[in-house]
């Protein structure tokens, strides 16, 4: 049985790339798509920013044909603004609209957006209904278990949002108060999946960082698919490793040094092409350590890479990394 969101066929068990602020931009999405991710989302986009025509918000609407299926994720605290932002996002031509009811950071939640809506389910329902009515596209939601341990209410959220028209729900197995600390708890996600009233796909998110864990949790928690976020940063190969393990039961060898260097170069080139040389080079700096995690004594190279602003010199440093570490046997950190 294929998992479907509207008319979007995602196969029998989709692997999704989480929308991550300052990470899930088109350059990063490109390298993840090359590694076999089934569906992706933009970084979350402020509804107010879209309405004001803020350059940063507008740029996040950029999507490319090779990325499909892809969703645009929006967030906000004002229902009318979310309605208007939905209309703007729809015109950008994504395959679906996703609403962020999960972001825990202060500058979002303390303004009544993101996970803050878990404290006002009636408003969440009204906001979601406004979004559903404002677009012809499927609408999905990403949220958390609840605001804190005393108010875990995602079971109620799931039923009420399904009843007003959302077509899939992704649940991060932590409360807002946990932020990203502690272990994700997927038991409540399984309970929702087992609820006979729930007919939409339920995706689990949180702490999946290996092919083995993906298989174990797929079986234990009975979700329709898995969304991966932090584990894909600097390691987009996690998608192909999980897919291969599901298909064959065999662990795939981790990426070679050559594959790591190539992915890093590709990410850099796409970053420069999308953002321009200055910003593209600057924003790439956060990724170098992740691509080469596990290399012994890599810090001097990382320091060179994060200080350099000349494209040719950056590529020459990557050449030197290739030469220096060509005989290093890479342990597969992920699978």
């Amino acid at each position: 049985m294929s998992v479907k969101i509207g008319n979007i066929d995602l196969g029998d068990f989709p692997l999704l790339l989480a929308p991550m602020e300052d990470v899930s931009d088109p350059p990063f999405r490109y390298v993840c798509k090359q590694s076999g991710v089934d569906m992706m989302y933009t970084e979350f986009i402020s509804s107010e920013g879209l309405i004001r025509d803020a350059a940063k918000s507008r740029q996040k609407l950029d999507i490319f044909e090779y990325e499909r299926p892809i969703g645009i994720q929006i967030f906000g605290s004002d229902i009318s603004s979310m309605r208007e932002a939905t209309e703007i996002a729809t015109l950008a031509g994504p395959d679906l609209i996703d609403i962020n009811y999960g972001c825990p950071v202060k500058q979002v939640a303390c303004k009544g957006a993101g996970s803050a809506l878990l404290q006002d389910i009636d408003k969440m329902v009204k906001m979601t209904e406004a979004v559903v009515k404002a677009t012809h596209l499927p609408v999905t939601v990403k949220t958390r278990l609840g605001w804190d341990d005393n108010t875990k209410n995602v079971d109620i959220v799931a039923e009420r949002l399904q009843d007003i028209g959302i077509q899939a729900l992704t649940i991060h197995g932590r409360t807002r108060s946990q932020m990203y600390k502690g272990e994700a708890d997927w038991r409540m996600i399984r309970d929702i999946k087992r609820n006979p009233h729930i007919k939409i796909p339920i995706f689990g998110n949180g702490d999946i960082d290996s092919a083995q864990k993906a298989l174990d949790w797929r079986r234990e928690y009975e979700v329709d698919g898995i969304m991966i976020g932090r584990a894909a940063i600097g390691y987009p190969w996690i998608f192909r490793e999980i897919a291969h393990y599901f298909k064959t039961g065999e662990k795939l060898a981790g990426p070679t040094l050559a594959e790591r260097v190539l992915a890093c170069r590709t990410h850099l080139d796409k970053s420069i092409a999308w953002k321009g040389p200055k910003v593209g080079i600057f924003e790439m700096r956060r990724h170098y350590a992740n691509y080469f995690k596990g290399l012994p004594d890599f810090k001097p190279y990382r320091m060179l890479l994060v200080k350099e602003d000349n494209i040719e010199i950056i590529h020459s440093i990557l050449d030197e990394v290739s030469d220096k570490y060509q005989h290093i046997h890479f342990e597969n950190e992920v699978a």
Side-chain angles (χ1 to χ4, degrees):
M1 281 281 290
S2 281
V3 175
K4 290 187 176 180
I5 300 175
N7 293 322
I8 307 166
D9 189 331
L10 296 174
D12 64 345
F13 193 84
L15 303 176
L16 316 177
L17 175 65
M20 294 178 282
E21 175 68 355
D22 293 328
V23 176
S24 302
D25 58 12
F28 179 71
R29 298 198 303 260
Y30 182 87
V31 294
C32 288
K33 190 70 175 181
Q34 286 189 312
S35 289
V37 66
D38 294 304
M39 183 164 149
M40 305 186 290
Y41 300 81
T42 63
E43 300 171 78
F44 71 172
I45 307 174
S46 162
S47 57
E48 301 291 344
L50 281 182
I51 292 168
R52 292 196 315 268
D53 204 27
K56 186 175 181 183
S57 294
R58 284 281 179 170
Q59 188 185 36
K60 289 180 182 178
L61 290 174
D62 286 356
I63 54 177
F64 301 89
E65 282 303 310
Y66 63 79
E67 297 184 298
R68 296 190 186 280
I70 186 166
I72 288 177
Q73 190 188 69
I74 57 174
F75 75 97
S77 60
D78 181 79
I79 293 173
S80 62
S81 295
M82 286 289 282
R83 182 187 298 113
E84 190 175 344
T86 300
E87 294 170 353
I88 295 168
T90 299
L91 292 174
D95 297 286
L96 61 84
I97 302 293
D98 189 75
I99 309 172
N100 183 312
Y101 291 139
C103 182
V105 300
K106 281 185 179 180
Q107 54 265 48
V108 173
C110 291
K111 291 180 180 176
S115 58
L117 274 301
L118 287 163
Q119 298 179 104
D120 189 345
I121 297 179
D122 288 342
K123 182 178 178 182
M124 180 193 283
V125 170
K126 289 175 184 174
M127 181 178 287
T128 306
E129 190 169 26
V131 170
V132 169
K133 288 179 177 178
T135 182
H136 66 282
L137 298 170
V139 173
T140 62
V141 163
K142 184 169 189 275
T143 190
R144 288 180 169 236
L145 301 179
W147 181 256
D148 57 30
D149 283 342
N150 299 317
T151 56
K152 291 182 179 178
N153 53 7
V154 72
D155 52 345
I156 300 167
V157 167
E159 288 202 19
R160 292 191 64 184
L161 295 190
Q162 176 185 260
D163 290 348
I164 52 97
I166 72 163
Q167 297 194 41
L169 177 66
T170 300
I171 305 166
H172 182 97
R174 289 181 174 85
T175 62
R176 187 272 168 175
S177 64
Q178 282 182 273
M179 302 295 283
Y180 295 98
K181 297 173 184 174
E183 291 185 2
D185 183 354
W186 285 36
R187 290 173 297 178
M188 202 168 178
I189 305 175
R190 178 178 56 204
D191 291 343
I192 290 167
K193 184 59 194 168
R194 288 177 174 176
N195 179 349
H197 183 67
I198 296 295
K199 307 299 183 187
I200 60 173
I202 302 295
F203 303 126
N205 173 233
D207 291 358
I208 294 292
D209 59 2
S210 71
Q212 186 64 57
K213 185 180 280 189
L215 181 62
D216 291 345
W217 286 24
R218 173 183 181 176
R219 289 170 173 165
E220 184 172 355
Y221 298 111
E222 303 166 20
V223 291
D224 295 296
I226 290 171
M227 179 179 283
I228 295 171
R230 289 174 292 169
I233 299 174
Y235 205 93
W237 304 279
I238 190 169
F239 297 106
R240 76 176 186 190
E241 290 175 7
I242 293 173
H244 183 81
Y245 193 40
F246 284 174
K247 189 174 182 180
T248 69
E250 297 174 354
K251 298 281 182 69
L252 195 64
T256 63
L257 176 64
E259 286 181 297
R260 289 170 182 265
V261 172
L262 178 59
C264 185
R265 288 189 200 275
T266 302
H267 194 160
L268 172 65
D269 291 342
K270 292 287 182 182
S271 185
I272 291 166
W274 185 58
K275 303 169 187 174
K278 185 176 180 180
V279 177
I281 289 171
F282 177 77
E283 294 195 355
M284 186 64 193
R285 291 173 179 173
R286 66 171 68 100
H287 294 285
Y288 294 123
N290 293 309
Y291 276 117
F292 299 107
K293 186 178 178 182
L295 279 183
D297 304 317
F298 184 72
K299 186 177 179 181
Y301 288 105
R302 182 178 66 81
M303 297 305 292
L304 289 173
L305 288 165
V306 300
K307 289 176 182 176
E308 188 53 61
D309 57 10
N310 181 288
I311 299 169
E312 287 74 23
I313 295 176
I314 292 172
H315 279 294
S316 71
I317 295 169
L318 292 173
D319 288 338
E320 194 174 329
V321 170
S322 295
D323 291 339
K324 179 178 173 63
Y325 293 102
Q326 60 181 312
H327 300 301
I328 294 289
H329 174 69
F330 246 116
E331 289 297 323
N332 186 349
E333 302 104 330
V334 174

